[in-house]
Amino acid sequence: CVSEWSHNFRPDYLRLHEFLTGSLGAKRLLALTATATRPTIESVTNILRIESIVRSDRSFVLKELLEEPAQPRVQRENLSMDVKSFLSEEAQAQELINILRSPEVCTHSAIVYVR
C-alpha cells in the first residue's frame, strides 16, 4: 500500500507519482480500495496527486469524500484477517487451494496475500 498507514509502507512510495508520470509517462493514475479509512484515502490521494475520486455510487473530490457520512470510518464487520505460516511451499499451496475451495470463499470474495 502506498499509504503511510500501511504496515507495508516504504518511503520510496512517496515518489510514486513522480516515477509513474515522469519516468513512465503515465497520463492517468488509478488507485483501488475496498476498505480504506478516511485517513488512508487522504494519504493515497495526496501521494498519487489524485484529484477525482470515484466510488461505486458517485464521484467526489477529496474534501467531499472525507465529509461524506456514508464513507466508512472503521473496518467493516464482514472483513477478517488471518495469518498462517507453513514449513513448505507444498503445504502453503495446499492451504491456498483449501481456502479457495471453501464454501465461504465460493460464495463471497477473498483476498489472499502470499509471501
mmCIF file of all heavy atoms in Angstrom, residues 38-83:
data_model
loop_
_atom_site.group_PDB
_atom_site.id
_atom_site.type_symbol
_atom_site.label_atom_id
_atom_site.label_comp_id
_atom_site.label_asym_id
_atom_site.label_seq_id
_atom_site.Cartn_x
_atom_site.Cartn_y
_atom_site.Cartn_z
ATOM 1 N N ARG A 38 -10.816 6.973 6.025
ATOM 2 C CA ARG A 38 -10.636 8.345 5.542
ATOM 3 C C ARG A 38 -9.173 8.793 5.557
ATOM 4 O O ARG A 38 -8.703 9.369 4.576
ATOM 5 C CB ARG A 38 -11.506 9.292 6.355
ATOM 6 C CG ARG A 38 -12.979 9.086 6.109
ATOM 7 C CD ARG A 38 -13.806 9.831 7.132
ATOM 8 N NE ARG A 38 -15.175 9.377 7.101
ATOM 9 C CZ ARG A 38 -16.205 10.104 6.716
ATOM 10 N NH1 ARG A 38 -16.028 11.341 6.347
ATOM 11 N NH2 ARG A 38 -17.406 9.597 6.717
ATOM 12 N N PRO A 39 -8.426 8.557 6.656
ATOM 13 C CA PRO A 39 -7.021 8.980 6.634
ATOM 14 C C PRO A 39 -6.212 8.280 5.538
ATOM 15 O O PRO A 39 -5.341 8.887 4.917
ATOM 16 C CB PRO A 39 -6.505 8.597 8.023
ATOM 17 C CG PRO A 39 -7.719 8.528 8.883
ATOM 18 C CD PRO A 39 -8.819 8.052 7.978
ATOM 19 N N THR A 40 -6.516 7.007 5.269
ATOM 20 C CA THR A 40 -5.786 6.280 4.231
ATOM 21 C C THR A 40 -6.134 6.822 2.857
ATOM 22 O O THR A 40 -5.252 7.016 2.015
ATOM 23 C CB THR A 40 -6.087 4.773 4.316
ATOM 24 O OG1 THR A 40 -5.740 4.309 5.620
ATOM 25 C CG2 THR A 40 -5.306 3.999 3.283
ATOM 26 N N ILE A 41 -7.405 7.086 2.606
ATOM 27 C CA ILE A 41 -7.817 7.664 1.320
ATOM 28 C C ILE A 41 -7.126 9.006 1.109
ATOM 29 O O ILE A 41 -6.598 9.289 0.035
ATOM 30 C CB ILE A 41 -9.345 7.823 1.255
ATOM 31 C CG1 ILE A 41 -10.017 6.454 1.203
ATOM 32 C CG2 ILE A 41 -9.757 8.675 0.044
ATOM 33 C CD1 ILE A 41 -11.515 6.499 1.381
ATOM 34 N N GLU A 42 -7.098 9.811 2.143
ATOM 35 C CA GLU A 42 -6.439 11.116 2.037
ATOM 36 C C GLU A 42 -4.956 10.952 1.738
ATOM 37 O O GLU A 42 -4.393 11.631 0.884
ATOM 38 C CB GLU A 42 -6.654 11.911 3.325
ATOM 39 C CG GLU A 42 -6.142 13.323 3.226
ATOM 40 C CD GLU A 42 -6.554 14.163 4.425
ATOM 41 O OE1 GLU A 42 -6.945 13.610 5.476
ATOM 42 O OE2 GLU A 42 -6.473 15.389 4.295
ATOM 43 N N SER A 43 -4.306 10.022 2.415
ATOM 44 C CA SER A 43 -2.882 9.774 2.208
ATOM 45 C C SER A 43 -2.607 9.318 0.779
ATOM 46 O O SER A 43 -1.718 9.838 0.105
ATOM 47 C CB SER A 43 -2.398 8.722 3.207
ATOM 48 O OG SER A 43 -1.075 8.354 2.954
ATOM 49 N N VAL A 44 -3.368 8.351 0.296
ATOM 50 C CA VAL A 44 -3.153 7.811 -1.047
ATOM 51 C C VAL A 44 -3.395 8.885 -2.109
ATOM 52 O O VAL A 44 -2.611 9.027 -3.043
ATOM 53 C CB VAL A 44 -4.059 6.578 -1.298
ATOM 54 C CG1 VAL A 44 -4.040 6.163 -2.761
ATOM 55 C CG2 VAL A 44 -3.622 5.423 -0.400
ATOM 56 N N THR A 45 -4.484 9.640 -1.973
ATOM 57 C CA THR A 45 -4.761 10.674 -2.975
ATOM 58 C C THR A 45 -3.684 11.757 -2.971
ATOM 59 O O THR A 45 -3.341 12.292 -4.019
ATOM 60 C CB THR A 45 -6.147 11.310 -2.788
ATOM 61 O OG1 THR A 45 -6.261 11.833 -1.477
ATOM 62 C CG2 THR A 45 -7.249 10.298 -3.042
ATOM 63 N N ASN A 46 -3.143 12.073 -1.807
ATOM 64 C CA ASN A 46 -2.070 13.070 -1.741
ATOM 65 C C ASN A 46 -0.781 12.537 -2.365
ATOM 66 O O ASN A 46 -0.117 13.243 -3.122
ATOM 67 C CB ASN A 46 -1.822 13.507 -0.302
ATOM 68 C CG ASN A 46 -2.929 14.377 0.232
ATOM 69 O OD1 ASN A 46 -3.649 15.023 -0.526
ATOM 70 N ND2 ASN A 46 -3.095 14.391 1.541
ATOM 71 N N ILE A 47 -0.401 11.308 -2.050
ATOM 72 C CA ILE A 47 0.834 10.728 -2.587
ATOM 73 C C ILE A 47 0.759 10.614 -4.110
ATOM 74 O O ILE A 47 1.715 10.937 -4.816
ATOM 75 C CB ILE A 47 1.115 9.358 -1.942
ATOM 76 C CG1 ILE A 47 1.545 9.545 -0.479
ATOM 77 C CG2 ILE A 47 2.199 8.596 -2.708
ATOM 78 C CD1 ILE A 47 1.594 8.269 0.333
ATOM 79 N N LEU A 48 -0.383 10.163 -4.614
ATOM 80 C CA LEU A 48 -0.527 9.970 -6.052
ATOM 81 C C LEU A 48 -1.031 11.213 -6.776
ATOM 82 O O LEU A 48 -1.139 11.218 -7.997
ATOM 83 C CB LEU A 48 -1.460 8.791 -6.333
ATOM 84 C CG LEU A 48 -0.943 7.431 -5.861
ATOM 85 C CD1 LEU A 48 -1.972 6.352 -6.141
ATOM 86 C CD2 LEU A 48 0.389 7.094 -6.507
ATOM 87 N N ARG A 49 -1.352 12.258 -6.015
ATOM 88 C CA ARG A 49 -1.867 13.515 -6.562
ATOM 89 C C ARG A 49 -3.126 13.285 -7.400
ATOM 90 O O ARG A 49 -3.253 13.777 -8.521
ATOM 91 C CB ARG A 49 -0.788 14.241 -7.360
ATOM 92 C CG ARG A 49 0.417 14.594 -6.521
ATOM 93 C CD ARG A 49 1.454 15.335 -7.302
ATOM 94 N NE ARG A 49 2.720 15.277 -6.584
ATOM 95 C CZ ARG A 49 3.882 15.565 -7.120
ATOM 96 N NH1 ARG A 49 3.958 15.954 -8.372
ATOM 97 N NH2 ARG A 49 4.982 15.488 -6.403
ATOM 98 N N ILE A 50 -4.035 12.528 -6.843
ATOM 99 C CA ILE A 50 -5.305 12.234 -7.495
ATOM 100 C C ILE A 50 -6.327 13.254 -7.021
ATOM 101 O O ILE A 50 -6.494 13.461 -5.830
ATOM 102 C CB ILE A 50 -5.771 10.798 -7.146
ATOM 103 C CG1 ILE A 50 -4.799 9.774 -7.749
ATOM 104 C CG2 ILE A 50 -7.191 10.551 -7.634
ATOM 105 C CD1 ILE A 50 -5.090 8.349 -7.354
ATOM 106 N N GLU A 51 -7.001 13.891 -7.970
ATOM 107 C CA GLU A 51 -7.972 14.935 -7.630
ATOM 108 C C GLU A 51 -9.406 14.425 -7.621
ATOM 109 O O GLU A 51 -10.244 14.930 -6.902
ATOM 110 C CB GLU A 51 -7.843 16.101 -8.604
ATOM 111 C CG GLU A 51 -6.506 16.803 -8.492
ATOM 112 C CD GLU A 51 -6.350 17.908 -9.511
ATOM 113 O OE1 GLU A 51 -7.357 18.303 -10.128
ATOM 114 O OE2 GLU A 51 -5.218 18.374 -9.688
ATOM 115 N N SER A 52 -9.715 13.447 -8.446
ATOM 116 C CA SER A 52 -11.072 12.954 -8.566
ATOM 117 C C SER A 52 -11.161 11.550 -7.981
ATOM 118 O O SER A 52 -10.332 10.695 -8.273
ATOM 119 C CB SER A 52 -11.486 12.920 -10.035
ATOM 120 O OG SER A 52 -12.779 12.393 -10.165
ATOM 121 N N ILE A 53 -12.168 11.324 -7.159
ATOM 122 C CA ILE A 53 -12.359 10.033 -6.511
ATOM 123 C C ILE A 53 -13.703 9.482 -6.947
ATOM 124 O O ILE A 53 -14.716 10.170 -6.876
ATOM 125 C CB ILE A 53 -12.314 10.190 -4.977
ATOM 126 C CG1 ILE A 53 -10.952 10.752 -4.564
ATOM 127 C CG2 ILE A 53 -12.592 8.861 -4.288
ATOM 128 C CD1 ILE A 53 -10.927 11.295 -3.165
ATOM 129 N N VAL A 54 -13.726 8.252 -7.399
ATOM 130 C CA VAL A 54 -14.963 7.616 -7.841
ATOM 131 C C VAL A 54 -15.258 6.448 -6.912
ATOM 132 O O VAL A 54 -14.429 5.572 -6.718
ATOM 133 C CB VAL A 54 -14.843 7.111 -9.297
ATOM 134 C CG1 VAL A 54 -16.116 6.399 -9.718
ATOM 135 C CG2 VAL A 54 -14.513 8.252 -10.229
ATOM 136 N N ARG A 55 -16.422 6.489 -6.323
ATOM 137 C CA ARG A 55 -16.908 5.373 -5.520
ATOM 138 C C ARG A 55 -17.991 4.702 -6.354
ATOM 139 O O ARG A 55 -18.456 5.271 -7.328
ATOM 140 C CB ARG A 55 -17.468 5.918 -4.197
ATOM 141 C CG ARG A 55 -17.559 4.875 -3.102
ATOM 142 C CD ARG A 55 -17.897 5.492 -1.773
ATOM 143 N NE ARG A 55 -19.233 6.083 -1.809
ATOM 144 C CZ ARG A 55 -19.732 6.835 -0.830
ATOM 145 N NH1 ARG A 55 -19.014 7.101 0.230
ATOM 146 N NH2 ARG A 55 -20.937 7.319 -0.916
ATOM 147 N N SER A 56 -18.394 3.518 -6.002
ATOM 148 C CA SER A 56 -19.346 2.788 -6.843
ATOM 149 C C SER A 56 -20.655 3.543 -7.057
ATOM 150 O O SER A 56 -21.344 3.325 -8.041
ATOM 151 C CB SER A 56 -19.631 1.410 -6.253
ATOM 152 O OG SER A 56 -20.225 1.542 -4.980
ATOM 153 N N ASP A 57 -20.988 4.466 -6.164
ATOM 154 C CA ASP A 57 -22.267 5.165 -6.303
ATOM 155 C C ASP A 57 -22.160 6.591 -6.819
ATOM 156 O O ASP A 57 -23.153 7.163 -7.227
ATOM 157 C CB ASP A 57 -23.028 5.149 -4.974
ATOM 158 C CG ASP A 57 -22.249 5.793 -3.841
ATOM 159 O OD1 ASP A 57 -21.023 5.954 -3.972
ATOM 160 O OD2 ASP A 57 -22.863 6.127 -2.816
ATOM 161 N N ARG A 58 -20.970 7.204 -6.805
ATOM 162 C CA ARG A 58 -20.823 8.557 -7.348
ATOM 163 C C ARG A 58 -19.357 8.988 -7.330
ATOM 164 O O ARG A 58 -18.511 8.296 -6.803
ATOM 165 C CB ARG A 58 -21.681 9.571 -6.601
ATOM 166 C CG ARG A 58 -21.286 9.807 -5.150
ATOM 167 C CD ARG A 58 -22.041 10.963 -4.559
ATOM 168 N NE ARG A 58 -21.356 12.196 -4.892
ATOM 169 C CZ ARG A 58 -21.250 13.222 -4.064
ATOM 170 N NH1 ARG A 58 -21.800 13.171 -2.877
ATOM 171 N NH2 ARG A 58 -20.617 14.308 -4.418
ATOM 172 N N SER A 59 -19.082 10.181 -7.885
ATOM 173 C CA SER A 59 -17.730 10.730 -7.913
ATOM 174 C C SER A 59 -17.593 11.833 -6.872
ATOM 175 O O SER A 59 -18.565 12.501 -6.530
ATOM 176 C CB SER A 59 -17.419 11.309 -9.291
ATOM 177 O OG SER A 59 -17.443 10.297 -10.259
ATOM 178 N N PHE A 60 -16.368 12.031 -6.391
ATOM 179 C CA PHE A 60 -16.081 13.020 -5.359
ATOM 180 C C PHE A 60 -14.771 13.713 -5.647
ATOM 181 O O PHE A 60 -13.912 13.184 -6.334
ATOM 182 C CB PHE A 60 -15.881 12.338 -3.991
ATOM 183 C CG PHE A 60 -17.046 11.587 -3.460
ATOM 184 C CD1 PHE A 60 -17.256 10.277 -3.818
ATOM 185 C CD2 PHE A 60 -17.928 12.182 -2.573
ATOM 186 C CE1 PHE A 60 -18.333 9.564 -3.308
ATOM 187 C CE2 PHE A 60 -18.998 11.483 -2.051
ATOM 188 C CZ PHE A 60 -19.201 10.174 -2.422
ATOM 189 N N VAL A 61 -14.589 14.884 -5.049
ATOM 190 C CA VAL A 61 -13.253 15.418 -4.826
ATOM 191 C C VAL A 61 -12.943 15.025 -3.387
ATOM 192 O O VAL A 61 -13.845 14.698 -2.608
ATOM 193 C CB VAL A 61 -13.168 16.953 -5.043
ATOM 194 C CG1 VAL A 61 -13.425 17.294 -6.499
ATOM 195 C CG2 VAL A 61 -14.085 17.699 -4.123
ATOM 196 N N LEU A 62 -11.667 15.033 -3.001
ATOM 197 C CA LEU A 62 -11.271 14.516 -1.697
ATOM 198 C C LEU A 62 -12.051 15.135 -0.546
ATOM 199 O O LEU A 62 -12.565 14.429 0.325
ATOM 200 C CB LEU A 62 -9.767 14.714 -1.487
ATOM 201 C CG LEU A 62 -9.224 14.229 -0.144
ATOM 202 C CD1 LEU A 62 -9.476 12.733 0.039
ATOM 203 C CD2 LEU A 62 -7.757 14.551 -0.019
ATOM 204 N N LYS A 63 -12.194 16.454 -0.539
ATOM 205 C CA LYS A 63 -12.893 17.127 0.563
ATOM 206 C C LYS A 63 -14.324 16.611 0.705
ATOM 207 O O LYS A 63 -14.795 16.353 1.806
ATOM 208 C CB LYS A 63 -12.886 18.634 0.340
ATOM 209 C CG LYS A 63 -13.454 19.442 1.496
ATOM 210 C CD LYS A 63 -13.333 20.935 1.221
ATOM 211 C CE LYS A 63 -13.748 21.805 2.371
ATOM 212 N NZ LYS A 63 -15.042 21.572 2.928
ATOM 213 N N GLU A 64 -15.011 16.409 -0.420
ATOM 214 C CA GLU A 64 -16.381 15.887 -0.372
ATOM 215 C C GLU A 64 -16.422 14.476 0.201
ATOM 216 O O GLU A 64 -17.277 14.150 1.016
ATOM 217 C CB GLU A 64 -16.989 15.835 -1.780
ATOM 218 C CG GLU A 64 -17.304 17.175 -2.382
ATOM 219 C CD GLU A 64 -17.784 17.022 -3.822
ATOM 220 O OE1 GLU A 64 -17.264 16.165 -4.567
ATOM 221 O OE2 GLU A 64 -18.693 17.774 -4.178
ATOM 222 N N LEU A 65 -15.491 13.632 -0.229
ATOM 223 C CA LEU A 65 -15.480 12.253 0.255
ATOM 224 C C LEU A 65 -15.225 12.189 1.750
ATOM 225 O O LEU A 65 -15.861 11.430 2.476
ATOM 226 C CB LEU A 65 -14.436 11.423 -0.484
ATOM 227 C CG LEU A 65 -14.390 9.952 -0.059
ATOM 228 C CD1 LEU A 65 -15.637 9.230 -0.551
ATOM 229 C CD2 LEU A 65 -13.151 9.277 -0.555
ATOM 230 N N LEU A 66 -14.285 13.009 2.228
ATOM 231 C CA LEU A 66 -13.959 12.991 3.647
ATOM 232 C C LEU A 66 -15.132 13.464 4.501
ATOM 233 O O LEU A 66 -15.257 13.076 5.659
ATOM 234 C CB LEU A 66 -12.714 13.826 3.921
ATOM 235 C CG LEU A 66 -11.427 13.298 3.277
ATOM 236 C CD1 LEU A 66 -10.275 14.245 3.550
ATOM 237 C CD2 LEU A 66 -11.105 11.897 3.740
ATOM 238 N N GLU A 67 -16.006 14.277 3.921
ATOM 239 C CA GLU A 67 -17.177 14.774 4.647
ATOM 240 C C GLU A 67 -18.415 13.910 4.420
ATOM 241 O O GLU A 67 -19.424 14.089 5.090
ATOM 242 C CB GLU A 67 -17.464 16.219 4.230
ATOM 243 C CG GLU A 67 -16.377 17.175 4.655
ATOM 244 C CD GLU A 67 -16.536 18.568 4.067
ATOM 245 O OE1 GLU A 67 -17.470 18.789 3.261
ATOM 246 O OE2 GLU A 67 -15.719 19.439 4.406
ATOM 247 N N GLU A 68 -18.352 12.967 3.493
ATOM 248 C CA GLU A 68 -19.495 12.114 3.151
ATOM 249 C C GLU A 68 -19.851 11.204 4.331
ATOM 250 O O GLU A 68 -19.034 10.412 4.788
ATOM 251 C CB GLU A 68 -19.143 11.274 1.923
ATOM 252 C CG GLU A 68 -20.078 10.135 1.621
ATOM 253 C CD GLU A 68 -21.466 10.587 1.205
ATOM 254 O OE1 GLU A 68 -21.612 11.687 0.647
ATOM 255 O OE2 GLU A 68 -22.405 9.833 1.447
ATOM 256 N N PRO A 69 -21.079 11.306 4.859
ATOM 257 C CA PRO A 69 -21.477 10.498 6.009
ATOM 258 C C PRO A 69 -21.447 8.989 5.747
ATOM 259 O O PRO A 69 -21.198 8.208 6.652
ATOM 260 C CB PRO A 69 -22.901 10.946 6.323
ATOM 261 C CG PRO A 69 -23.149 12.148 5.507
ATOM 262 C CD PRO A 69 -22.123 12.215 4.427
ATOM 263 N N ALA A 70 -21.684 8.584 4.495
ATOM 264 C CA ALA A 70 -21.739 7.153 4.187
ATOM 265 C C ALA A 70 -20.352 6.523 4.032
ATOM 266 O O ALA A 70 -20.232 5.310 3.953
ATOM 267 C CB ALA A 70 -22.550 6.925 2.916
ATOM 268 N N GLN A 71 -19.300 7.343 3.978
ATOM 269 C CA GLN A 71 -17.957 6.790 3.823
ATOM 270 C C GLN A 71 -17.566 6.081 5.117
ATOM 271 O O GLN A 71 -17.610 6.675 6.182
ATOM 272 C CB GLN A 71 -16.947 7.896 3.497
ATOM 273 C CG GLN A 71 -15.521 7.419 3.353
ATOM 274 C CD GLN A 71 -15.349 6.422 2.220
ATOM 275 O OE1 GLN A 71 -16.071 6.435 1.246
ATOM 276 N NE2 GLN A 71 -14.400 5.542 2.361
ATOM 277 N N PRO A 72 -17.184 4.803 5.052
ATOM 278 C CA PRO A 72 -16.845 4.072 6.278
ATOM 279 C C PRO A 72 -15.717 4.739 7.059
ATOM 280 O O PRO A 72 -14.761 5.220 6.483
ATOM 281 C CB PRO A 72 -16.392 2.703 5.763
ATOM 282 C CG PRO A 72 -16.941 2.596 4.390
ATOM 283 C CD PRO A 72 -17.044 3.996 3.862
ATOM 284 N N ARG A 73 -15.875 4.776 8.362
ATOM 285 C CA ARG A 73 -14.848 5.331 9.235
ATOM 286 C C ARG A 73 -14.025 4.231 9.900
ATOM 287 O O ARG A 73 -12.951 4.470 10.387
ATOM 288 C CB ARG A 73 -15.485 6.211 10.310
ATOM 289 C CG ARG A 73 -16.142 7.447 9.763
ATOM 290 C CD ARG A 73 -16.753 8.278 10.881
ATOM 291 N NE ARG A 73 -17.460 9.422 10.347
ATOM 292 C CZ ARG A 73 -16.906 10.614 10.167
ATOM 293 N NH1 ARG A 73 -15.660 10.808 10.472
ATOM 294 N NH2 ARG A 73 -17.610 11.599 9.678
ATOM 295 N N VAL A 74 -14.563 3.039 9.963
ATOM 296 C CA VAL A 74 -13.870 1.928 10.621
ATOM 297 C C VAL A 74 -13.961 0.693 9.740
ATOM 298 O O VAL A 74 -14.711 0.654 8.767
ATOM 299 C CB VAL A 74 -14.493 1.618 12.003
ATOM 300 C CG1 VAL A 74 -14.320 2.778 12.947
ATOM 301 C CG2 VAL A 74 -15.955 1.254 11.877
ATOM 302 N N GLN A 75 -13.205 -0.333 10.116
ATOM 303 C CA GLN A 75 -13.267 -1.595 9.387
ATOM 304 C C GLN A 75 -14.680 -2.153 9.408
ATOM 305 O O GLN A 75 -15.400 -1.998 10.386
ATOM 306 C CB GLN A 75 -12.306 -2.608 10.024
ATOM 307 C CG GLN A 75 -10.856 -2.237 9.873
ATOM 308 C CD GLN A 75 -10.379 -2.357 8.440
ATOM 309 O OE1 GLN A 75 -10.947 -3.096 7.648
ATOM 310 N NE2 GLN A 75 -9.340 -1.642 8.090
ATOM 311 N N ARG A 76 -15.059 -2.803 8.359
ATOM 312 C CA ARG A 76 -16.393 -3.389 8.268
ATOM 313 C C ARG A 76 -16.445 -4.716 9.011
ATOM 314 O O ARG A 76 -15.449 -5.438 9.111
ATOM 315 C CB ARG A 76 -16.754 -3.588 6.802
ATOM 316 C CG ARG A 76 -16.794 -2.273 6.053
ATOM 317 C CD ARG A 76 -17.287 -2.405 4.638
ATOM 318 N NE ARG A 76 -16.944 -3.658 4.005
ATOM 319 C CZ ARG A 76 -16.503 -3.750 2.759
ATOM 320 N NH1 ARG A 76 -16.335 -2.682 2.043
ATOM 321 N NH2 ARG A 76 -16.227 -4.912 2.239
ATOM 322 N N GLU A 77 -17.615 -5.065 9.517
ATOM 323 C CA GLU A 77 -17.799 -6.293 10.271
ATOM 324 C C GLU A 77 -17.621 -7.545 9.425
ATOM 325 O O GLU A 77 -17.305 -8.612 9.944
ATOM 326 C CB GLU A 77 -19.188 -6.309 10.906
ATOM 327 C CG GLU A 77 -19.354 -5.267 11.996
ATOM 328 C CD GLU A 77 -20.759 -5.267 12.573
ATOM 329 O OE1 GLU A 77 -21.540 -6.193 12.281
ATOM 330 O OE2 GLU A 77 -21.066 -4.337 13.321
ATOM 331 N N ASN A 78 -17.820 -7.442 8.118
ATOM 332 C CA ASN A 78 -17.738 -8.622 7.262
ATOM 333 C C ASN A 78 -16.303 -8.908 6.791
ATOM 334 O O ASN A 78 -16.095 -9.741 5.931
ATOM 335 C CB ASN A 78 -18.665 -8.476 6.056
ATOM 336 C CG ASN A 78 -18.256 -7.333 5.151
ATOM 337 O OD1 ASN A 78 -17.671 -6.350 5.600
ATOM 338 N ND2 ASN A 78 -18.563 -7.454 3.874
ATOM 339 N N LEU A 79 -15.320 -8.234 7.358
ATOM 340 C CA LEU A 79 -13.928 -8.458 6.991
ATOM 341 C C LEU A 79 -13.190 -9.173 8.113
ATOM 342 O O LEU A 79 -13.441 -8.933 9.288
ATOM 343 C CB LEU A 79 -13.224 -7.133 6.706
ATOM 344 C CG LEU A 79 -13.779 -6.311 5.566
ATOM 345 C CD1 LEU A 79 -13.001 -5.009 5.437
ATOM 346 C CD2 LEU A 79 -13.725 -7.075 4.262
ATOM 347 N N SER A 80 -12.277 -10.018 7.719
ATOM 348 C CA SER A 80 -11.447 -10.684 8.724
ATOM 349 C C SER A 80 -10.048 -10.858 8.154
ATOM 350 O O SER A 80 -9.837 -10.792 6.942
ATOM 351 C CB SER A 80 -12.033 -12.039 9.104
ATOM 352 O OG SER A 80 -12.011 -12.908 7.994
ATOM 353 N N MET A 81 -9.108 -11.078 9.042
ATOM 354 C CA MET A 81 -7.731 -11.298 8.625
ATOM 355 C C MET A 81 -7.180 -12.479 9.401
ATOM 356 O O MET A 81 -7.427 -12.618 10.602
ATOM 357 C CB MET A 81 -6.880 -10.064 8.896
ATOM 358 C CG MET A 81 -5.462 -10.223 8.364
ATOM 359 S SD MET A 81 -4.496 -8.705 8.519
ATOM 360 C CE MET A 81 -3.707 -9.002 10.071
ATOM 361 N N ASP A 82 -6.458 -13.322 8.709
ATOM 362 C CA ASP A 82 -5.861 -14.494 9.321
ATOM 363 C C ASP A 82 -4.447 -14.632 8.774
ATOM 364 O O ASP A 82 -4.223 -14.433 7.584
ATOM 365 C CB ASP A 82 -6.702 -15.727 8.982
ATOM 366 C CG ASP A 82 -6.298 -16.944 9.783
ATOM 367 O OD1 ASP A 82 -5.569 -16.792 10.781
ATOM 368 O OD2 ASP A 82 -6.716 -18.056 9.408
ATOM 369 N N VAL A 83 -3.508 -14.963 9.636
ATOM 370 C CA VAL A 83 -2.126 -15.144 9.222
ATOM 371 C C VAL A 83 -1.727 -16.583 9.518
ATOM 372 O O VAL A 83 -1.955 -17.083 10.623
ATOM 373 C CB VAL A 83 -1.182 -14.174 9.976
ATOM 374 C CG1 VAL A 83 0.268 -14.422 9.570
ATOM 375 C CG2 VAL A 83 -1.587 -12.736 9.714
#
